[in-house]
Amino acid sequence: AAANLFSIGGEDVANSTPCEVVVNDASIDCDFRVESNDVTHMLFVDAGNNRIGFSNSAPPANLSIGSGFHTIVSDATVTNSDATDDAVIAQLSTTKIPANAIVTKVAVTIKTQSSTSNAHNATILLSSANGVAADTAITADKIEILGAGHSGDSEEAFNSSSDGFADINLKAAVGTTFIDENIVKMGSTARYAYICNANGNSDTNASGGTVSVLIEYYGFE
């Protein structure tokens, strides 16, 4: 049977159906591409990988802008913590930041508080290892890009004034954002982004909690 790739629906007032334009309503692996005068992939939806690129034919993350400047936007569920420092809480999909990239901004916003009974602190680490299991510590070849070691970190709760902080508090109020705008120059190794445990939290295998993570960097694959 033919798949419905494009539909324009009129408003049905009697049945409270709004007017909408739908692309790929059949949810098949069909990319969507818009060209500009000079750029073939001015807007590109990678259907198979669930990614969007602006002026990028192979977006490396959920959202990627430009061929040199990239924005990674990823939601993560906080399902684990561990008493060991740098134990993996979540990996930000399989997003890879290329070698020699320059990270310019990192931000984490609390969407749902962690359900741990004790303090639940975290950092954002980059590691050359891909697919490190939850509760397993990253012990080598790591770069911290948001956490205690960065003087540019700040916490903004409901648009209040910024305060210095040590690590990401996953039990902070919903809407609290932790930001690091220090520039981090990576070395000759591509790395993957992880949310990791910090300060030897006492709870293990906690359930619940979600965060939204933003990482901006300059780099080329």
Side-chain angles (χ1 to χ4, degrees), residues 1 6 14 25 30 86 101 107 118 122 133 154-155 175 177 197:
F6 185 78
D25 193 36
C30 179
D86 298 341
N118 297 319
S154 64
E155 175 184 333
T177 299
N197 190 57

Side-chain angles (χ1 to χ4, degrees), residues 33-43:
R33 179 171 62 87
V34 177
E35 292 194 26
S36 67
N37 186 47
D38 298 311
V39 181
T40 60
H41 292 71
M42 196 70 243
L43 169 63

